[in-house]
Amino acid sequence: MKAVFIAFDQAHYERIIDILDRMSCRGYTAWQQVTGRGTNDGEPHYGSHAWPSLASSIMTVVPDDRVDGLLERLKAIDDDRPKLGLRAFVWNVEQSI
């Protein structure tokens, strides 16, 4: 099992949920309003007067064989609108209950 953490502009939320549904990644935890700034470029997401946009994030745990397909679909969203921002990170899940 792998944990996939996805941080993204709120505009991507529905598309990401749709991808998770289509890939049968049923379980996830979502944080609707988070702040942050990307590594390379793009606009900061601070929810402030100067930088009003916000980000969201999702953590999902999926079988190993779904990770590559999930990352490919997420990359396609980011490639389509790169200035909005979307990043995904994968960790091993050692144990769970």
Side-chain angles (χ1 to χ4, degrees):
M1 300 291 281
K2 302 287 187 191
V4 182
F5 178 80
I6 312 161
F8 53 91
D9 185 284
Q10 288 179 325
H12 292 313
Y13 188 82
E14 295 299 325
R15 289 180 72 186
I16 293 171
I17 296 299
D18 184 57
I19 288 170
L20 294 174
D21 287 345
R22 289 175 187 265
M23 295 190 67
S24 299
C25 300
R26 188 176 178 326
Y28 64 86
T29 298
W31 297 270
Q32 295 270 349
Q33 294 184 349
V34 297
T35 61
R37 181 177 67 183
T39 306
N40 299 317
D41 56 11
E43 302 291 328
H45 293 73
Y46 295 152
S48 68
H49 177 71
W51 302 103
S53 64
L54 285 166
S56 294
S57 59
I58 290 176
M59 173 78 78
T60 185
V61 177
V62 300
D64 292 5
D65 63 348
R66 291 197 193 139
V67 172
D68 290 340
L70 177 58
L71 292 179
E72 287 172 13
R73 287 167 176 84
L74 294 172
K75 185 172 182 338
I77 292 174
D78 188 46
D79 288 347
D80 186 45
R81 309 268 311 269
K83 288 293 185 184
L84 287 181
L86 186 154
R87 295 293 176 264
F89 306 90
V90 180
W91 293 283
N92 289 322
V93 175
E94 300 296 329
Q95 297 180 347
S96 66
I97 58 168

